[in-house]
């Protein structure tokens, strides 16, 4: 998984040069599709990691009176809220050439 602490992905929205984004594929729709699929993968990885960390704080009591705020749990949640969004992480990986992709339609037509 991407090291979330060392990423240079923006937290806020930024404008990108379309020509830079579609340069590897020469097709903006294909490039966006690849980035979207990677963003879904990143989202699942982050969600899994977050749920594992929050599960450490889980209490299995049914009593509403025993519900209390756990400062560590709140800090974990805030950390994940401050991270760049999965689409920004995926786009940063794409621009850095870190996403492997292949076009299976071109491979099938060559055979």
């Amino acid at each position: 998984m991407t090291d979330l602490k060392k990423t240079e992905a923006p937290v806020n929205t930024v404008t990108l040069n379309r020509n830079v984004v579609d340069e590897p594929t020469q097709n903006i729709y294909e490039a966006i599709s690849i980035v979207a699929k990677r963003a879904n993968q990143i989202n699942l990885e982050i969600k899994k990691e977050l749920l594992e960390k929050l599960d450490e704080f889980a209490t299995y009591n049914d009593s509403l009176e025993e519900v209390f705020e756990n400062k560590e749990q709140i800090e974990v949640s805030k950390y994940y809220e401050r991270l760049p969004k999965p689409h920004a992480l995926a786009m940063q990986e794409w621009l850095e050439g870190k996403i492997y992709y292949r076009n299976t339609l071109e491979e099938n037509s060559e055979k």
Side-chain angles (χ1 to χ4, degrees):
M1 180 173 166
T2 306
D3 188 359
L4 299 174
K5 292 181 181 178
K6 296 181 180 178
T7 185
E8 295 179 17
V11 177
N12 297 322
T13 304
V14 295
T15 303
L16 299 171
N17 183 338
R18 177 191 167 270
N19 296 327
V20 173
V21 173
D22 72 2
E23 185 177 351
T25 61
Q26 299 303 312
N27 184 328
I28 189 68
Y29 302 107
E30 187 176 352
I32 296 298
S33 177
I34 293 166
V35 171
K37 288 177 184 178
R38 178 63 183 134
N40 285 335
Q41 291 173 342
I42 291 171
N43 188 42
L44 290 174
E45 291 171 2
I46 290 173
K47 184 177 180 180
K48 180 182 174 192
E49 185 179 307
L50 174 61
L51 291 175
E52 286 173 359
K53 288 185 179 185
L54 291 178
D55 196 37
E56 295 173 10
F57 302 107
T59 57
Y60 299 101
N61 297 335
D62 292 335
S63 173
L64 292 176
E65 296 171 3
E66 295 184 21
V67 174
F68 61 94
E69 292 184 359
N70 187 329
K71 288 184 180 182
E72 294 164 347
Q73 183 178 3
I74 293 170
E75 288 302 314
V76 168
S77 296
K78 285 183 179 180
Y79 169 77
Y80 281 93
E81 287 175 5
R82 288 189 296 259
L83 288 177
K85 302 297 181 223
H87 67 272
L89 293 166
M91 185 57 74
Q92 187 66 32
E93 287 182 2
W94 177 254
L95 295 174
E96 293 173 358
K98 294 180 179 177
I99 297 178
Y100 169 78
Y101 66 95
R102 61 191 178 126
N103 189 330
T104 56
L105 293 177
E106 289 178 5
E107 291 175 6
N108 290 337
S109 66
E110 292 174 1
K111 292 181 180 180

